[in-house]
Amino acid sequence: MGEYDRTGNGQSSKTDWDLRSILCDIAKNWWVILLIACSAAMITYTVMATVHKDRYTVKTTFAVMGRGVDANAASSLSATYEMAQKFEAILENTILKKKVMEELSLSSFPAKMNASIVPESNLMELSVTADSPEMAFRILKSVLNNYTSISDYIIPNVVLETLQQPQVSGVPSNQIPTKKYAATAFLAAALAMAALIGLFSFLRDTVKNEAEFTRKIDADLLGVVYHEKKKKNSSMLITNPARSFLYVESLKRIASRVRGRLDRKGGKVLLVTSVAENEGKSTLAANLALALAEEQNRVLLLDCDFRQPALHKIFEIPEKDGKDFGKVVLGKESASGVFEKHKDTNVYTGICRNRLEEPSLAIGGEIFHRILETCRTNMDYIILDTPPMGMTADAEELAEYADAAVLSVRQDGVLTRDINDAIDALNRKEEKVIGCVFGNVYPGFGERIGNSYGYGYGYGTYSRAER
């Protein structure tokens, strides 16, 4: 038994860091990351485009000189500093603004004016900023036409000579890089979402490696089957020459352990199930049958997943060939010839080719019970491939007919508490679970380098129904 803490939220006392699981979760949720990042970029762009208001600035440059024939460079420079200090007051003068508004027929003054000197020179720059370049230009021209009526009273000894005529510019003076900010928001949101998914992956209480399995799961570990890459048009059966040596041998060792535990219990009927879909329980059931048959045993493999039958696809049996085991147990076909021998092996299969509308009638029916009792005397072992326990109650009902049960557990698949709950359900009346198989396991980096691992247990391109 493991040291799994069944209290609280189901977290064990220690959570291992598994980089591959985190990266896989991030990769599987790429569309979520992309959606959030695009949304952040669009919101940023929209908000900035809505809130931000472009402003346009028109400028002109003056040379500031002292009035009179004795004016020189020094007096002009002094006059420039004096003008710079007092010109702001001229620009803010209510009289000047009223003159501009009257000249341009404006009800309010829609601009901001500013005067500044060019360092170490007698030049001064006057700028007008408004909502449009045309309005800024018109206001600046009006200021140039009317400022002398006020400046002569404030700075009587200064003369302004226009050096640069104002020009209309179509480029906003307060332009911001909206696209750059949107791109930054996209990147920041993508990184934040990836980090959040990674955090949830780290905190999710699944079985991420063999050490965690031993510590968390309330059942013995029968063996580990490493990830095996499926080649095109190539089955995952151990009789397939394309399967790796490690894949085949790991399943044979597991089958040997299963046989030993069944024999000690004096049992023949083995139930193979999982908590959820896509955990490889049908492939495991098929390979256990083949491995036990290689030990000179007569093995009957029954497809009892009447909702999503998969064995006919795993064994590559045409759907229209032969009898349907599901119809037989419902009494719609005779039992004669329903069990087919698989090629040159001692494996006999009861194939369910089509899903049943009312599988509970097949499982609880008298015909199914009689078939099992008859086969107990004729077969050395009977393996029942059942539906996932998290989907239906069929596996728990079928456990009544079984002498022992094996649970297929996929690496980083379902929550630990769900696995332990499934084990408890199978063991409710008596100890049925003889162990679990930890499948589709990706070895750690050190294991790949040190032991040349990288083979194992996979599903290839099977559909969910095939698994």
Side-chain angles (χ1 to χ4, degrees):
M1 293 294 191
E3 300 174 359
Y4 179 70
D5 181 7
R6 305 296 295 278
T7 63
N9 60 3
Q11 291 289 344
S12 63
S13 58
K14 178 176 178 291
T15 301
D16 289 342
W17 176 271
D18 190 86
L19 181 61
R20 190 206 66 84
S21 297
I22 293 174
L23 293 178
C24 283
D25 282 337
I26 292 174
K28 283 189 294 186
N29 290 279
W30 65 268
W31 63 273
V32 177
I33 297 173
L34 180 62
L35 179 63
I36 296 298
C38 289
S39 299
M42 291 178 61
I43 292 172
T44 301
Y45 186 90
T46 302
V47 169
M48 295 190 70
T50 302
V51 174
H52 176 73
K53 195 171 185 179
D54 288 338
R55 303 276 286 175
Y56 299 86
T57 301
V58 178
K59 300 178 180 180
T60 188
T61 303
F62 298 103
V64 182
M65 296 177 291
R67 192 187 299 272
V69 294
D70 58 344
N72 52 36
S75 64
S76 295
L77 188 60
S78 174
T80 302
Y81 283 100
E82 183 181 5
M83 174 63 80
Q85 293 173 359
K86 296 183 178 181
F87 206 79
E88 289 288 344
I90 296 173
L91 296 179
E92 293 299 323
N93 190 280
T94 306
I95 299 175
L96 176 61
K97 289 184 178 181
K98 284 183 177 180
K99 287 180 176 292
V100 172
M101 290 165 58
E102 290 175 0
E103 183 176 317
L104 301 179
S105 300
L106 299 174
S107 58
S108 61
F109 194 79
K112 180 180 180 181
M113 299 182 291
N114 182 60
S116 61
I117 62 171
V118 178
E120 300 180 359
S121 71
N122 67 325
L123 302 179
M124 186 179 72
E125 187 178 74
L126 173 62
S127 64
V128 175
T129 302
D131 291 342
S132 69
E134 294 81 6
M135 180 58 68
F137 177 78
R138 292 174 61 198
I139 291 176
L140 180 58
K141 293 291 289 183
S142 181
V143 169
L144 294 178
N145 294 336
N146 294 282
Y147 82 91
T148 53
S149 61
I150 299 175
S151 63
D152 288 345
Y153 293 101
I154 299 177
I155 316 175
N157 298 321
V158 172
V159 176
L160 297 180
E161 181 180 343
T162 303
L163 299 181
Q164 179 183 349
Q165 292 297 327
Q167 301 292 326
V168 178
S169 174
V171 179
S173 56
N174 64 338
Q175 191 174 25
I176 59 174
T178 307
K179 292 183 179 179
K180 181 179 178 181
Y181 286 134
T184 302
F186 179 93
L187 182 60
L191 292 175
M193 195 63 200
L196 187 62
I197 292 173
L199 178 62
F200 284 147
S201 176
F202 173 70
L203 295 177
R204 189 176 68 248
D205 189 26
T206 58
V207 183
K208 297 179 176 64
N209 49 57
E210 188 175 349
E212 279 199 343
F213 192 104
T214 305
R215 187 174 66 251
K216 290 181 175 182
I217 302 303
D218 291 342
D220 292 335
L221 178 60
L222 294 171
V224 176
V225 191
Y226 288 91
H227 173 77
E228 175 94 345
K229 185 176 180 180
K230 185 181 186 298
K231 300 175 183 177
K232 188 176 180 180
N233 298 324
S234 180
S235 74
M236 299 303 296
L237 299 176
I238 60 174
T239 52
N240 183 359
R243 295 299 108 218
S244 67
F245 175 80
L246 181 60
Y247 175 77
V248 174
E249 288 304 308
S250 61
L251 284 164
K252 287 183 177 180
R253 284 196 300 270
I254 292 169
S256 179
R257 291 167 185 163
V258 168
R259 177 186 51 76
R261 299 194 179 200
L262 268 174
D263 291 347
R264 285 197 293 272
K265 288 173 66 74
K268 285 189 174 185
V269 181
L270 175 71
L271 179 143
V272 178
T273 189
S274 61
V275 175
E277 291 182 296
N278 199 25
E279 292 200 80
K281 52 93 181 171
S282 296
T283 302
L284 175 61
N287 282 319
L288 287 178
L290 291 170
L292 290 172
E294 287 186 3
E295 299 178 352
Q296 305 305 312
N297 297 304
R298 287 166 57 86
V299 182
L300 175 62
L301 176 61
L302 298 179
D303 194 344
C304 298
D305 190 348
F306 299 118
R307 299 175 189 270
Q308 294 288 350
L311 289 180
H312 67 283
K313 296 180 181 180
I314 292 175
F315 281 101
E316 299 176 345
I317 300 173
E319 293 187 22
K320 295 183 179 179
D321 292 354
K323 291 190 174 182
D324 191 306
F325 179 63
K327 293 181 179 179
V328 170
V329 294
L330 286 176
K332 296 181 179 180
E333 291 183 3
S334 66
S336 177
V338 68
F339 301 136
E340 304 171 13
K341 188 175 182 181
H342 178 65
K343 297 180 179 179
D344 297 327
T345 68
N346 283 330
V347 175
Y348 295 82
T349 58
I351 299 297
C352 183
R353 292 172 169 80
N354 301 289
R355 67 187 306 271
L356 302 182
E357 295 299 328
E358 297 181 347
S360 57
L361 296 179
I363 296 172
E366 182 63 27
I367 297 177
F368 185 76
H369 178 73
R370 287 204 309 267
I371 288 175
L372 278 185
E373 290 304 311
T374 302
C375 292
R376 278 180 180 270
T377 61
N378 299 324
M379 295 290 171
D380 295 310
Y381 299 103
I382 302 171
I383 297 178
L384 309 180
D385 176 29
T386 71
M389 295 189 65
M391 308 298 293
T392 71
D394 294 356
E396 293 181 53
E397 294 181 33
L398 287 164
E400 300 292 332
Y401 301 103
D403 301 313
V406 168
L407 202 66
S408 178
V409 178
R410 182 178 177 128
Q411 183 186 30
D412 195 29
V414 299
L415 296 177
T416 303
R417 65 170 179 267
D418 294 334
I419 299 172
N420 284 319
D421 287 345
I423 293 171
D424 291 343
L426 292 172
N427 290 336
R428 183 165 289 119
K429 292 185 178 180
E430 60 177 296
E431 292 289 330
K432 289 286 181 76
V433 179
I434 58 175
C436 300
V437 175
F438 194 31
N440 196 43
V441 176
Y442 287 80
F445 180 76
E447 291 177 314
R448 288 197 297 269
I449 298 299
N451 301 309
S452 299
Y453 283 169
Y455 308 101
Y457 184 33
Y459 309 111
T461 57
Y462 286 140
S463 66
R464 283 191 173 185
E466 294 175 75
R467 299 167 187 161

